[in-house]
Amino acid sequence: MLDLTSTMKIAKSYLFDRDLTRKLGRERIKKYQDKALKKVVECAFKTKFYREKYREKGLNPSDIKGLEDIDKLPIVTRDDFVKASPNDLLPETINVKKIFQASTSGSTGQPLVVWNDTYTALRCLQGFAEELSEHGVNWRKDKITIIGDFSPGGPENAYLTNTFFSGLNLFFNTKNFQTLDVKEDALSLMQKISRFKPDFIGGYPPMLKGLAFLKKNGYGETVKPKCIATSGTLLDKKTRDFIEEAFNVKLFDVYSSTEAGTVAFQCREGRYHVHSELVHVELLGRDGEPVDYGERGSVVVTRLYGEATPVLRYIGMNDTAKNVEVDCVCGRETPLISEIEGRRCDPVFTLDGRILSPFYFTSIICSYVKKGLNVERFQIVQNSLDEMEILVAVESNQWETYKKHFEGIEKDFKYKLGEHVEIKIKQVKKLENNVPVVLSKVEGLK
Ligand SMILES: [Zn+2]
């Protein structure tokens, strides 16, 4: 999977680009971004999806000379991606051996499959390395536990294959890495983490909240990381406080998504810096114009690298954030954002006392989408320990067609929750943006 060209590329970018945002001033970062943007636009013109979109506007690759031209490009929504055929989202010149599909963990309640490539995965890891070093974690020496979706097609799967890992030996000591599957229940994860005794734990907020709950109840005595990081879904203040208190450690949050990779991260001052060497972020108001400092806008991301599905002016993460004007003392001269709001998820409790990742359930629904179930959006609500409701927005005339799929979903939910738990699947006309995709009303973690 990891070919020589990708390794050389990452080696080059590791040596020259690492910590770029701290070494370079604003002007030089912008120059770097201008160049990267032009490349991505050229790549986008090689996909049917973007070419048609841009031609409609009369755009040519040469119209985009740098970031000052970015507003000429139309905004791309999640719906646009969902409706496009996956092949139309791929550059026609791509070497298919280098790419793989990644399905989003369903954290927006609107399933989506995008293409990724090895180089993209490596760049994300590079961003991760910078985040760790900012927080005093030595990724060559310290023991690192990552809890992610490592199932085939899952967002973190690309990091798992042996060939990929062996290629990474240049950059990471892979023996010091423990990768755990988010679909395991919190207790069995805690047991594995206890044996490994990591210096750092990274994972989705709801799962770390589950582990924090166990820690508070006396489990995982040997689990004493010096640093914890969350990413993948929104981290609210309550969850942050809960995890920090349970592990008696400072937590930093990474703002990311499957489509756009890592977007921003908290420095040691706690401010969210945009990863300017990886992405360009716009915060746009309802009128489509950039918001002023102190104002809240929709997050629109352009990913400045990658050879598979280009992500250009993408609003589909459905998040909002505030535009911040402060010079941060950490020394990075990159844009700052704050108070990110959007994709939220709760952990799920079971009758027999297990704590499960919400992504176990979102991925069940996503697996039926792959089998042909056409869901516009869904929400899972755990009303009580013995009742779970799945709200799905599908065309009303399709309800009967999908009956088999719904029966399958019910069976799969029951398999994990227990036969006696009632699973109610309800059709709704519409689900609003920004409703938590998994909402648990069960008391215990709140
Ligand atoms: Zn900072």
Side-chain angles (χ1 to χ4, degrees), residues 162-174:
N162 286 334
T163 39
F164 189 87
F165 250 159
S166 61
L168 285 182
N169 274 332
L170 262 175
F171 314 106
F172 291 91
N173 182 354
T174 46

Side-chain angles (χ1 to χ4, degrees), residues 134 267-271 273 328-332 336:
E134 167 71 9
C267 69
R268 64 189 79 161
E269 302 297 320
R271 296 201 175 93
H273 286 266
C328 189
V329 292
C330 79
R332 282 183 186 76
L336 293 163

